[in-house]
Amino acid sequence: MSLTLRTISREQHLAFIQSLPAASHMQVPAWADVKAEWRSENLGWFDRSGQLVGVGLVLYRQLPKIKRYLAYLPEGPVINWYAPNLDDWIQPMLAHLKQQGAFSVKMGPPVIIRRWNADTIKRGIQDPDIKRLRDLEADFIEPRAFEVADKLRRMGWQQGEDGGAGFGDVQPRYVYQVPLANRSLEEVHKNFNQLWRRNIKKAEKAGVEVVQGGYQDLPEWQRLYEITAVRDHFRPRPLSYFQRMWTALNTEDPNRMRLYFARHNGVNLSAATMLIVGGHVWYSYGASDNIGREVRPSNAMQWRMLRDAYALGATVYDLRGISDSLDETDHLFGLIQFKVGTGGQAAEYLGEWDFPLNKLLHKALDIYMSRR
């Protein structure tokens, strides 16, 4: 199969994404507007008959002072990763990006390599010899994913170093997902652990109300998000980022991004953003106040978001990144503990891969990034 690659319009790109069961929210054309500080390009792969068979959103970040770029395809490109001729997909892309002035390419193949069920993870947490997910036998392994990794290595791609935490990549290598396809809501609820079910009931009894917000409610979202940032020691994104995200994504598709609040006695206690692309729904950002935790607003909100995802016909509710640490003393352990309560699965992606088109500049970027 011989493939050609060229720049396509946003409309072509979007139509292709809409024809698929799901794709990453970072590969829809509007994501380029969210990442306004990057230059962007929509790529299309065409087969011999001229049919569009794959797309990729490329973000270009310029190096200071010179016209050379890092080309980044977050959670993409959207191609047939299991094609026997993966080379025929990747080589035209590298040639094109080099022509565009890229000195290095970073991509995140949307390929899942392993999955662990909640019960397996719980057993791992209880076993003192097991410190990480990767020490635990997976419930599902995708052999074709290992072939993809081998092919990429042979082509000269380098796997991003993540130090085992799953957070070294720009996008998380490990995520937590609740599968919804071919399951009833009752089944999903029954799969929650006892604590989750108890907390949902507690929130209901206390009269916690979960409501959807709009663009005008983003300052209230920001208030809760900044409280969370102080508590959890991270640097918050500015309000303008979420306003841009809302405008860009919902202009492309009015149901692409949602905002939820859990409130008690008229006071907002927690909030979350939700993103929707086809059958894949993500809990994207979360925030909560330091007060009112005893009425369990976060559990109530997640249960409502999950039910809404189900009503939309979603096949997966994605709680996004986790660390792969099963060590209770690890500061990131609480993240997996909270998400495991939903009874879903931890999934490991292939991670992010780099291709140095100019080895010297690529090395210089590596040194610069490690010093930041």
Side-chain angles (χ1 to χ4, degrees), residues 96-218:
H96 176 86
L97 296 176
K98 192 172 187 172
Q99 261 181 338
Q100 296 292 309
F103 68 89
S104 186
V105 182
K106 183 185 273 295
M107 65 175 182
V111 173
I112 286 176
I113 196 162
R114 297 180 188 88
R115 291 184 187 275
W116 295 265
N117 293 333
D119 288 342
T120 305
I121 298 167
K122 280 176 208 158
R123 281 200 303 276
I125 291 168
Q126 283 153 10
D127 185 336
D129 294 331
I130 289 179
K131 297 288 182 215
R132 302 203 163 277
L133 267 178
R134 59 181 70 171
D135 301 335
L136 200 54
E137 201 176 323
D139 293 289
F140 166 82
I141 290 178
E142 174 52 84
R144 294 178 303 170
F146 292 95
E147 288 169 29
V148 173
D150 281 345
K151 285 175 184 172
L152 291 175
R153 272 190 208 99
R154 283 203 297 273
M155 285 181 221
W157 287 84
Q158 301 163 3
Q159 195 160 20
E161 285 306 316
D162 75 341
F167 280 101
D169 291 336
V170 182
Q171 303 308 328
R173 186 175 299 191
Y174 295 90
V175 299
Y176 207 86
Q177 300 177 337
V178 180
L180 300 177
N182 310 316
R183 298 174 75 198
S184 69
L185 264 180
E186 289 70 40
E187 270 176 84
V188 174
H189 185 264
K190 216 179 271 176
N191 240 9
F192 283 179
N193 71 11
Q194 224 175 343
L195 184 64
W196 261 82
R197 290 201 301 270
R198 209 166 44 232
N199 286 345
I200 290 166
K201 203 172 253 174
K202 196 181 258 186
E204 250 169 57
K205 261 197 180 137
V208 171
E209 187 192 4
V210 181
V211 296
Q212 259 184 265
Y215 180 86
Q216 71 285 356
D217 301 302
L218 286 169

Side-chain angles (χ1 to χ4, degrees), residues 212 258 260 274 303-314:
Q212 259 184 265
R258 291 183 178 191
Y260 287 84
M274 184 161 116
W303 177 226
R304 162 73 191 273
M305 288 165 71
L306 212 149
R307 293 199 317 269
D308 284 2
Y310 190 88
L312 287 166

Side-chain angles (χ1 to χ4, degrees), residues 124-351:
I125 291 168
Q126 283 153 10
D127 185 336
D129 294 331
I130 289 179
K131 297 288 182 215
R132 302 203 163 277
L133 267 178
R134 59 181 70 171
D135 301 335
L136 200 54
E137 201 176 323
D139 293 289
F140 166 82
I141 290 178
E142 174 52 84
R144 294 178 303 170
F146 292 95
E147 288 169 29
V148 173
D150 281 345
K151 285 175 184 172
L152 291 175
R153 272 190 208 99
R154 283 203 297 273
M155 285 181 221
W157 287 84
Q158 301 163 3
Q159 195 160 20
E161 285 306 316
D162 75 341
F167 280 101
D169 291 336
V170 182
Q171 303 308 328
R173 186 175 299 191
Y174 295 90
V175 299
Y176 207 86
Q177 300 177 337
V178 180
L180 300 177
N182 310 316
R183 298 174 75 198
S184 69
L185 264 180
E186 289 70 40
E187 270 176 84
V188 174
H189 185 264
K190 216 179 271 176
N191 240 9
F192 283 179
N193 71 11
Q194 224 175 343
L195 184 64
W196 261 82
R197 290 201 301 270
R198 209 166 44 232
N199 286 345
I200 290 166
K201 203 172 253 174
K202 196 181 258 186
E204 250 169 57
K205 261 197 180 137
V208 171
E209 187 192 4
V210 181
V211 296
Q212 259 184 265
Y215 180 86
Q216 71 285 356
D217 301 302
L218 286 169
E220 174 62 359
W221 147 266
Q222 192 70 15
R223 179 185 74 82
L224 291 167
Y225 174 61
E226 286 178 12
I227 290 170
T228 310
V230 171
R231 187 178 64 237
D232 294 349
H233 314 289
F234 66 84
R235 211 163 88 206
R237 290 188 181 277
L239 172 61
S240 58
Y241 180 82
F242 295 102
Q243 289 173 326
R244 189 164 71 235
M245 196 173 172
W246 183 277
T247 305
L249 296 179
N250 287 338
T251 299
E252 180 175 271
D253 178 335
N255 203 23
R256 183 79 81 222
M257 179 177 176
R258 291 183 178 191
L259 177 63
Y260 287 84
F261 292 98
R263 55 172 67 143
H264 186 240
N265 296 333
V267 179
N268 292 318
L269 298 176
S270 60
T273 60
M274 184 161 116
L275 300 176
I276 301 147
V277 183
H280 203 125
V281 171
W282 292 263
Y283 154 53
S284 158
Y285 283 87
S288 62
D289 207 331
N290 297 325
I291 58 165
R293 294 181 153 210
E294 68 286 349
V295 295
R296 305 299 176 197
S298 293
N299 298 88
M301 186 172 62
Q302 288 296 341
W303 177 226
R304 162 73 191 273
M305 288 165 71
L306 212 149
R307 293 199 317 269
D308 284 2
Y310 190 88
L312 287 166
T315 52
V316 64
Y317 180 71
D318 196 322
L319 291 133
R320 288 294 281 165
I322 52 169
S323 144
D324 85 328
S325 175
L326 300 181
D327 179 357
E328 297 187 23
T329 61
D330 191 305
H331 71 290
L332 292 169
F333 175 74
L335 208 55
I336 194 167
Q337 195 177 31
F338 178 75
K339 294 177 183 183
V340 163
T342 61
Q345 301 169 324
E348 180 191 359
Y349 279 90
L350 263 190

